[in-house]
């Protein structure tokens, strides 16, 4: 009897070992075979620094693709003014997708009376980004909640508040310059400001640091990159 029990124990041990091995191999296979999402590398288009519209939208997309960006934050609402109609917005989204670029419509909100225009949603965009650092925190929270409940797309917030309590799908901290390096971390997307760089080498160093140490990087902005020649 003791010999048979010992044999059964050995078989059970062998079966458990094989099952564990199969589980580990299966997990590794899933990890390596499933497609991995690249970190967002975002080009911000600020209409106040240089207008981009139907006449020069395609060159902007070509620039973004040629410089390694995979996402565009395209400002379509600025200080209470919607800059484009629904047909134009849908066209911008379609053109971006043809270049394999994601596009977020960026809203620059400067006054507590301003609301999110419904026309910016459901136009084929991948997401909507709120740029509202100048507003009271309670107003910011209400606007994000409104966006989250109204849009089936991803939500994003760009903010200068390094301790922002907001929790959109993508929280982008405007970590421009060396003083903001301590705020670059996992869990947020950090930022490089062309205006806060001294040379192309400095720009590349900041860009790479942010990309390595956070969940992505946003570059502010397209017009500044063009002027700098970076």
């Amino acid at each position: 009897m003791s010999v048979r029990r010992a044999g059964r124990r050995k078989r059970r041990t062998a079966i458990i070992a094989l099952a564990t091995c199969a589980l580990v191999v299966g997990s590794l296979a899933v990890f390596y075979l499933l497609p991995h999402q690249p970190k967002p590398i975002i080009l911000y288009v600020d209409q106040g620094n240089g207008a981009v519209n139907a006449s020069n939208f395609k060159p902007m997309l070509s620039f973004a693709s040629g410089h390694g960006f995979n996402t565009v934050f395209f400002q379509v609402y600025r200080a209470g003014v919607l800059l484009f109609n629904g047909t134009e917005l849908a066209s911008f989204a379609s053109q971006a997708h043809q270049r394999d670029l994601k596009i977020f419509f960026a809203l620059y909100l400067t006054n507590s009376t301003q609301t999110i225009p419904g026309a910016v949603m459901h136009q084929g965009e991948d997401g909507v980004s709120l740029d509202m650092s100048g507003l009271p925190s309670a107003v910011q929270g209400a606007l994000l909640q409104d966006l989250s409940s109204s849009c089936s797309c991803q939500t994003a917030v760009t903010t200068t508040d390094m301790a922002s309590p907001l929790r959109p799908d993508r929280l982008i901290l405007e970590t421009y310059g060396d003083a903001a390096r301590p705020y670059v971390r996992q869990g947020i997307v950090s930022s490089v400001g062309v205006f806060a760089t001294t040379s192309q080498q400095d720009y590349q160093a900041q860009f790479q640091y942010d990309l390595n140490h956070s969940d992505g990087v946003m570059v502010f902005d397209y017009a500044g990159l063009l002027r700098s020649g970076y």
Side-chain angles (χ1 to χ4, degrees):
M1 290 291 287
S2 61
V3 173
R4 287 198 293 272
R5 284 198 297 270
R8 285 197 294 270
R9 282 198 297 271
K10 287 181 179 179
R11 285 195 294 274
R12 283 198 300 270
T13 301
I15 291 170
I16 292 170
L18 286 172
T20 303
C21 182
L23 180 61
V24 171
V25 170
S27 299
L28 289 173
V30 170
F31 177 81
Y32 285 109
L33 292 177
L34 284 178
H36 297 288
Q37 292 296 320
K39 289 184 178 183
I41 302 176
I42 304 164
L43 177 63
Y44 193 106
V45 179
D46 186 286
Q47 300 287 4
N49 290 344
V52 176
N53 49 42
S55 67
N56 58 351
F57 188 77
K58 286 186 177 179
M60 182 274 294
L61 294 180
S62 296
F63 179 94
S65 296
H67 286 73
F69 293 96
N70 55 30
T71 306
V72 174
F73 275 23
F74 184 59
Q75 197 175 85
V76 300
Y77 180 86
R78 185 172 178 83
V81 178
L82 181 60
L83 305 176
F84 307 101
N85 60 40
T87 300
E88 292 171 315
L89 293 173
S91 176
F92 292 146
S94 176
Q95 291 179 65
H97 293 155
Q98 289 170 16
R99 299 299 298 262
D100 292 325
L101 292 166
K102 291 185 178 181
I103 185 167
F104 282 57
F105 294 146
L107 315 181
Y108 178 43
L109 298 137
T110 57
N111 189 290
S112 297
T113 63
Q114 294 166 5
T115 58
I116 299 171
V120 305
M121 290 181 278
H122 312 298
Q123 302 294 348
E125 74 283 356
D126 296 284
V128 174
S129 176
L130 302 177
D131 185 350
M132 52 185 179
S133 292
L135 301 183
S137 57
V139 175
Q140 292 185 40
L143 285 167
L144 178 57
Q145 184 175 11
D146 182 32
L147 175 62
S148 299
S149 62
S150 304
C151 185
S152 57
C153 59
Q154 285 196 313
T155 60
V157 170
T158 60
T159 180
T160 57
D161 180 3
M162 301 297 115
S164 175
L166 298 178
R167 292 295 177 265
D169 295 317
R170 291 183 180 175
L171 179 63
I172 295 95
L173 299 185
E174 298 184 46
T175 52
Y176 306 133
D178 292 336
R181 294 301 91 188
Y183 299 101
V184 176
R185 65 181 189 276
Q186 300 297 320
I188 60 98
V189 174
S190 54
S191 306
V192 175
V194 178
F195 59 89
T197 62
T198 57
S199 65
Q200 186 169 2
Q201 183 179 8
D202 181 34
Y203 165 78
Q204 292 292 349
Q206 290 190 35
F207 180 96
Q208 198 59 53
Y209 181 91
D210 283 20
L211 189 60
N212 291 343
H213 293 85
S214 77
D215 291 354
V217 59
M218 182 187 79
V219 176
F220 188 91
D221 74 322
Y222 172 57
L225 278 172
L226 286 180
R227 285 193 293 268
S228 69
Y230 295 173

